[in-house]
Amino acid sequence: MSDNVLVWLRRDLRLFDHAALHHALISGHRVICVFIFDRDILDTLPRTDRRVAFIWESVLQLKQELTALGADLVVRHGSAVKTIVALADEFGALAVYANRDTEPYAIRRDTEVEDQLVSEGRALHLFKDQVIFECDEVLNLSRQMYKVFTPYKNAWLARLSEQALASYPIRPHLHNLKQCAATALPTLPELGFEQVNVDYLQPGMDGGEALFNDFCSRIHQYRKARDFPAVRGVSYLSVHLRFGTVSIRELARTAHQMGGEGADTWLSELIWREFYQQLLWHRPELVTHTFKPEYDAIPFPNDSAYFTAWCAGQTGFPIVDAAMRQLNQTGFMHNRLRMIAASFLVKDLLVDWRWGEQYFALQLNDFDLASNNGGWQWAASTGCDAQPYFRIFNPTTQSLRFDLEGNFIRRYCPELAHLDNRSIHAPPAMPAYPAPLVDHGTQRLAALALFKAAGN
Ligand code: FAD
């Protein structure tokens, strides 16, 4: 075997504050960075998938930076397990370093990779990188997982230390990168995807940094502004958190040090992300089942015409339609709107939350299994620490509260733009816009009956 080790980049597409890269660089071996476009995942996606374009742009940036250092990012395309094992063999690597991913698919994949590497006399070293606290690091006094967010958050904050937020430096150790000639990066069409413009998402480390700097200048307003989709009140960093083009330690450290109601509220949101990750790690069956077993088999009518209208933003409820159109056009949906749209699908259209969860999974740039599942189970009242089933959002009231002047609706439903600030939330009959699919009052009662019957 040679003196080489591989760093396998996955959802950690950056060259700063990176646990696996740091540990590889200080291991005393020559470090080669690799990235695999995983066929097992890509084959399930449409050719225009924005996330693949985001990843591709981010990988290009990594490759350019490594090439400028006289090193390379070796990029391959294939089944992840076979390809990483083959790469370890090709480079005679002693070990593969990577950051831990606790999604069920990733756990299975990494177990298989480890088995194969070990059988060839190599090792797989995994590191915590994408969260501050992972798996069972934050437990209650009975050493059980927390099922309620606030005590989890308090325990999370009590555990926080300088060490937990400390960076993994890369720059001082870059001389341990293996120097080599640059190899080619397969183009998106070569990977089977179309060239989609994702400039607006500001991909890559540079994009993540620019967005974070912009957000820091307005973080103090976050608590007040974050619920209003028409204003720039949130960070828009979720896609960067998903693909690791930002460092969670840097984000959490900055928010923690800044303090104040805006930064503290934002830190809470980062903790929600970790709450859902540990929940899925403890209870992987949540991928297909409800947290509250009594709600697992509610006989939702699942009207497919309702579902199609919801997906297309054609329900006749402007705030829901604007939300769904934002998702379809940009791959992003504001958190308040995710709650409204999800609640509407389940409790007004009486469609199983899993249908909506799957649609979001396909469309969201920031799709993250744990957060998406957690968010859907929250809205559907089937999750732990969820919205109680009898609290049903009225879409029109939500619209009036969070988009009072209708500015967000006007942006995504131009056919309603001429309406006044009041009627835009519940428009009169008009040819250009659908009549409401359902009556909220009637559906509310039907939803209550379904949940009550399931709970008995
Ligand atoms: P900010 O408000 O700036 O928050 C900062 C970060 O905190 C986010 O980037 C995210 O990482 C985290 N965060 C914020 N709110 C939550 C939350 N409620 N749960 C978990 N983490 C949170 N978030 C995803 O990242 N991926 C998903 O697939 C996803 N699906 C969701 C589905 C539903 C039905 C709901 C209700 C929420 C979902 N969320 C998901 C959570 C939240 O809506 C997004 O994280 C947020 O809108 C992203 O925008 P932002 O980065 O500007 O967030």
Side-chain angles (χ1 to χ4, degrees):
M1 268 190 224
S2 70
D3 190 25
N4 296 332
V5 294
L6 302 186
V7 172
W8 180 17
L9 300 167
R10 290 109 64 102
R11 48 188 292 186
D12 44 12
L13 303 179
R14 64 182 189 283
L15 295 175
F16 61 94
D17 188 10
H18 190 291
L21 182 56
H22 169 84
H23 283 102
L25 288 170
I26 61 166
S27 69
H29 303 291
R30 298 291 111 191
V31 176
I32 302 164
C33 295
V34 303
F35 179 83
I36 300 164
F37 281 98
D38 185 351
R39 270 262 73 97
D40 298 336
I41 298 174
L42 297 192
D43 283 350
T44 64
L45 302 175
R47 284 176 55 82
T48 50
D49 198 285
R50 298 180 191 97
R51 293 159 299 192
V52 181
F54 181 95
I55 294 171
W56 190 88
E57 293 287 346
S58 303
V59 163
L60 173 66
Q61 209 179 96
L62 290 174
K63 198 166 172 66
Q64 285 169 340
E65 294 217 2
L66 284 165
T67 310
L69 293 164
D72 189 24
L73 175 68
V74 177
V75 180
R76 295 285 157 85
H77 180 211
S79 151
V81 178
K82 273 196 199 140
T83 311
I84 191 66
V85 172
L87 279 166
D89 189 40
E90 181 180 332
F91 289 101
L94 297 165
V96 173
Y97 287 67
N99 289 321
R100 194 172 294 117
D101 186 335
T102 55
E103 285 187 5
Y105 163 77
I107 293 175
R108 281 196 303 277
R109 176 197 61 200
D110 290 351
T111 307
E112 237 183 284
V113 168
E114 182 164 31
D115 288 349
Q116 295 199 26
L117 289 176
V118 168
S119 74
E120 294 179 1
R122 310 180 207 281
L124 175 68
H125 300 303
L126 295 177
F127 300 88
K128 175 175 71 172
D129 184 77
Q130 55 169 298
V131 285
I132 304 297
F133 298 120
E134 64 178 1
C135 303
D136 55 2
E137 285 191 295
V138 178
L139 296 175
N140 66 21
L141 292 176
S142 325
R143 307 287 305 150
Q144 303 291 316
M145 67 175 228
Y146 281 100
K147 295 179 191 159
V148 180
F149 175 69
T150 305
Y152 171 83
K153 174 183 151 184
N154 293 339
W156 191 102
L157 287 169
R159 230 194 121 103
L160 201 59
S161 62
E162 267 184 36
Q163 197 199 346
L165 294 172
S167 300
Y168 290 98
I170 301 301
R171 204 153 276 285
H173 312 292
L174 284 173
H175 55 277
N176 288 327
L177 285 172
K178 189 173 173 76
Q179 300 292 294
C180 53
T183 53
L185 170 65
T187 62
L188 275 172
E190 280 166 358
L191 294 169
F193 289 85
E194 282 173 30
Q195 206 82 45
V196 193
N197 184 0
V198 286
D199 289 352
Y200 69 96
L201 293 175
Q202 299 181 253
M205 296 175 281
D206 289 355
E209 188 183 357
L211 273 174
F212 187 48
N213 287 341
D214 167 58
F215 180 62
C216 282
S217 67
R218 51 192 175 78
I219 195 170
H220 57 284
Q221 296 162 346
Y222 178 74
R223 183 151 187 260
K224 295 196 178 82
R226 72 186 172 128
D227 265 321
F228 301 95
V231 302
R232 198 169 166 78
V234 294
S235 71
Y236 304 100
L237 279 164
S238 49
V239 63
H240 289 275
L241 278 159
R242 175 67 182 91
F243 297 114
T245 37
V246 290
S247 147
I248 182 63
R249 287 172 293 280
E250 187 180 325
L251 267 47
R253 191 171 59 235
T254 307
H256 188 57
Q257 284 169 358
M258 277 181 161
E261 65 166 27
D264 286 347
T265 307
W266 195 64
L267 184 60
S268 275
E269 298 307 317
L270 297 179
I271 304 174
W272 267 108
R273 173 175 169 269
E274 303 204 359
F275 178 68
Y276 285 138
Q277 288 211 13
Q278 59 94 37
L279 183 64
L280 187 63
W281 182 80
H282 281 282
R283 302 281 295 272
E285 68 274 16
L286 291 177
V287 173
T288 44
H289 291 288
T290 53
F291 185 87
K292 293 185 181 140
E294 65 272 28
Y295 298 142
D296 213 13
I298 293 181
F300 287 110
N302 291 334
D303 184 321
S304 57
Y306 283 0
F307 180 64
T308 306
W310 177 83
C311 293
Q314 295 288 346
T315 67
F317 287 81
I319 194 72
V320 175
D321 292 342
M324 295 306 292
R325 295 179 195 187
Q326 179 184 38
L327 177 66
N328 294 335
Q329 287 169 33
T330 69
F332 182 78
M333 190 194 289
H334 187 279
N335 181 60
R336 170 58 49 184
L337 301 176
R338 293 187 205 204
M339 296 195 290
I340 296 172
S343 172
F344 184 80
L345 181 71
V346 180
K347 294 177 180 170
D348 282 80
L349 300 184
L350 308 180
V351 172
D352 193 319
W353 61 274
R354 284 166 274 229
W355 292 32
E357 184 200 17
Q358 270 179 33
Y359 188 72
F360 270 29
L362 205 61
Q363 296 292 336
L364 280 173
N365 301 323
D366 63 24
F367 165 58
D368 173 88
L369 183 57
S371 294
N372 195 42
N373 184 275
W376 273 96
Q377 295 225 35
W378 180 90
S381 304
T382 63
C384 77
D385 204 5
Q387 171 97 309
Y389 77 86
F390 48 83
R391 279 192 57 203
I392 297 182
F393 282 164
N394 177 324
T396 312
T397 313
Q398 289 284 312
S399 189
L400 280 160
R401 240 176 110 190
F402 298 109
D403 190 30
L404 182 61
E405 290 170 0
N407 290 334
F408 185 80
I409 295 174
R410 284 193 179 83
R411 203 177 297 160
Y412 286 97
C413 301
E415 69 271 40
L416 303 177
H418 63 283
L419 294 176
D420 63 61
N421 290 357
R422 185 91 204 163
S423 50
I424 194 163
H425 302 282
M430 62 175 82
Y433 187 68
L437 270 187
V438 291
D439 172 64
H440 172 69
T442 310
Q443 298 302 100
R444 183 179 166 277
L445 293 177
L448 287 174
L450 277 174
F451 275 86
K452 245 187 227 159
N456 287 327

